[in-house]
Amino acid sequence: MVRVSRMTSSLMRRAIDLSIDSVKRGIGGPFAALVARQGEVIAVGVNQVATSNDPTAHAEVVAIRDACKQLNSFQLIGCEMYTTCEPCPMCLGAIYWARLDRIYFGNTRDDAARIGFDDAFIYDQMAVPILQRSIPMEPLMREQALEAFREWELATVKIRY
């Protein structure tokens, strides 16, 4: 069994409490996340998909967006996330792009599926060849689109990420 510090447990407890409060207040699904650095909470997020009409407003994404604003950076190196559920594919992608150091999570994706939040279809679709996915995806104007990539390669002033 992995031993965790009191601080780590306390931060996860805070995320869990936020998720319970969100459900009780009817403002989102049972998901919450927080971003911390050296034990200090930088940002919190609760699921806001239904209240904001934004399918990307998952707790983890909300917390990442706020943490980046608070730190004035698009990278969260040196930070950890405490989230009440194993991140979905979208949130996992955002976590990797934000370069968080570590993720602590409570519930598993199987736990989420049991209460109606099943992301298995998305995980499965990622492995399907592009032209066979359930939402049609068609390559279009690649040569023209490559112009922006060529400009990026030639640019002498750019922010790498």
Side-chain angles (χ1 to χ4, degrees):
M1 176 173 236
V2 176
R3 293 183 55 97
V4 296
S5 71
R6 256 191 206 141
M7 179 188 62
T8 300
S9 296
S10 174
L11 291 169
M12 181 57 90
R13 181 75 246 174
R14 183 165 173 195
I16 292 167
D17 289 345
L18 285 168
S19 69
I20 293 169
D21 181 62
S22 177
V23 171
K24 287 181 177 178
R25 292 183 4 187
I27 60 173
F31 306 99
L34 62 87
V35 174
R37 183 172 60 187
Q38 298 176 348
E40 178 186 341
V41 176
I42 306 298
V44 300
V46 295
N47 181 285
Q48 298 176 13
V49 170
T51 56
S52 67
N53 293 317
D54 179 354
T56 68
H58 289 200
E60 296 91 340
V61 172
V62 171
I64 287 169
R65 288 174 181 163
D66 191 33
C68 288
K69 284 180 190 171
Q70 296 300 322
L71 297 174
N72 195 32
S73 176
F74 57 85
Q75 295 184 346
L76 298 175
I77 295 167
C79 297
E80 305 88 33
M81 176 173 282
Y82 296 79
T83 181
T84 58
C85 191
E86 178 182 353
C88 75
M90 175 185 69
C91 293
L92 186 60
I95 287 164
Y96 275 100
W97 278 112
R99 293 176 174 76
L100 286 148
D101 287 4
R102 182 180 300 268
I103 310 303
Y104 296 97
F105 67 93
N107 298 305
T108 67
R109 63 180 166 181
D110 293 331
D111 297 330
R114 278 191 285 282
I115 64 164
F117 296 92
D118 191 352
D119 298 322
F121 175 74
I122 299 170
Y123 284 103
D124 293 344
Q125 282 291 295
M126 292 170 70
V128 173
I130 290 173
L131 297 177
Q132 296 173 18
R133 292 183 179 162
S134 66
I135 295 177
M137 298 181 75
E138 296 183 38
L140 182 64
M141 298 179 66
R142 179 172 177 257
E143 285 305 315
Q144 292 85 342
L146 282 171
E147 185 175 342
F149 282 17
R150 287 189 287 271
E151 288 293 326
W152 173 259
E153 287 180 308
L154 296 173
T156 56
V157 176
K158 55 187 160 188
I159 299 171
R160 294 197 179 273
Y161 54 95

